[in-house]
């Protein structure tokens, strides 16, 4: 893997990563609805369901209060990806993070795919208006105990994110293209269970190495196998997949 990494052939590296690593920037990937925190995956999905936000927006608003600009700093992983960019080696950074720390550390928009979008921007839900607001605007409203309705038409605003079950064909197509063109795939912390993340490992060429940095071995994950995503770290036939368990 180290020889391939330093090879002149390696010029288009794709990175995929997940909020498992958000906590090292001071952010716990936890939901803050009701009176207590949570870690259950099924409950986490509720936070990103649009109908749930329409009925109970306060859980999302409490969650976002932990993401105010200046509260958190990029991690070593962020700066590693930026270094790849500076050396001209980064094809694309695919992230499931919502904290905008990739942009804070200097990763360019053309090198970044924010799968879920970002809490950086809130937008009026009135289609005739759709005025955009930043987090500082939201912070001012909440500090004055005001619900963040649009300042122009007074309709409700919502984070500019990709809601659970929403489809984005352009992102899916980009996953296919990036997977086919990368010459090294680095997966950091992601369980790869969400499309289009699960598509990228399937579309990299057969001779392209795939490095997985994770706290668990995902090789025999039954959910991944159901998605037709297969890794081979330990068998006699293993030739390109490498796992680094932290």
């Amino acid at each position: 893997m180290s020889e391939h990494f330093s090879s002149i052939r390696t010029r288009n590296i794709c990175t995929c990563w997940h909020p498992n690593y958000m906590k090292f920037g001071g952010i716990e990937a936890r939901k803050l609805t009701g009176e207590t925190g949570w870690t259950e995956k099924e409950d986490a999905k509720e936070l990103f369901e649009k109908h749930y936000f329409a009925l109970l927006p306060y859980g999302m608003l409490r969650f976002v209060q932990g993401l105010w600009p200046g509260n958190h700093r990029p991690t070593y992983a962020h700066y590693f990806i930026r270094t790849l960019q500076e050396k001209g080696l980064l094809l694309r950074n695919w992230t499931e993070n919502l904290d905008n720390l990739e942009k804070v550390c200097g990763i360019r928009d053309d090198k970044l795919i924010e799968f879920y979008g970002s809490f950086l921007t809130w937008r009026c839900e009135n289609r005739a208006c759709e005025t955009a607001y930043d987090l500082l605007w939201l912070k001012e409203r909440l500090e004055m105990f005001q619900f963040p309705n649009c300042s122009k038409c007074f309709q409700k605003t919502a984070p500019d994110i990709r809601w659970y079950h929403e489809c984005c064909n352009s992102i899916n197509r980009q996953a296919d293209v990036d997977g086919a063109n990368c010459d090294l795939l680095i997966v950091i912390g992601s369980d790869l269970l969400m499309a289009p993340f699960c598509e990228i490992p399937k579309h990299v060429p057969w001779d392209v190495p795939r490095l997985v940095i994770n706290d668990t071995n995902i090789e025999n994950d039954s959910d991944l196998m159901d998605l037709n995503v297969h890794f081979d770290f330990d068998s006699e036939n293993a030739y390109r997949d490498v796992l680094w368990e932290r």
Side-chain angles (χ1 to χ4, degrees), residues 137-147:
W137 172 87
L138 178 67
K139 182 178 181 182
E140 290 174 358
R141 293 296 183 279
L142 295 183
E143 287 178 345
M144 292 187 292
F145 300 100
Q146 296 178 359
F147 193 85

Side-chain angles (χ1 to χ4, degrees), residues 35-51:
E35 298 298 325
T36 60
W38 50 263
T39 57
E40 293 297 327
K41 184 178 293 186
E42 290 304 318
D43 290 337
K45 290 179 180 178
E46 289 181 358
L47 188 65
F48 299 99
E49 292 180 347
K50 196 165 187 177
H51 75 275

Side-chain angles (χ1 to χ4, degrees), residues 3 11 14 35-37 42 56 70 86 95 97 110 112 135 146 149 172 211-212 218 227 237 244:
E3 290 179 0
R11 288 293 179 269
C14 270
E35 298 298 325
T36 60
E42 290 304 318
L56 297 169
E86 291 173 346
T95 178
N97 295 340
D110 63 312
L112 180 63
L135 269 184
Q146 296 178 359
N149 289 328
N172 293 338
L211 170 62
V212 178
I218 63 174
L227 293 169
N237 298 320
W244 179 23

Side-chain angles (χ1 to χ4, degrees), residues 114-129:
E114 294 174 307
F115 170 60
Y116 287 119
S118 170
F119 285 119
L120 184 66
T121 305
W122 286 58
R123 194 174 301 276
C124 177
E125 293 189 315
N126 180 0
R127 292 192 175 183
C129 179

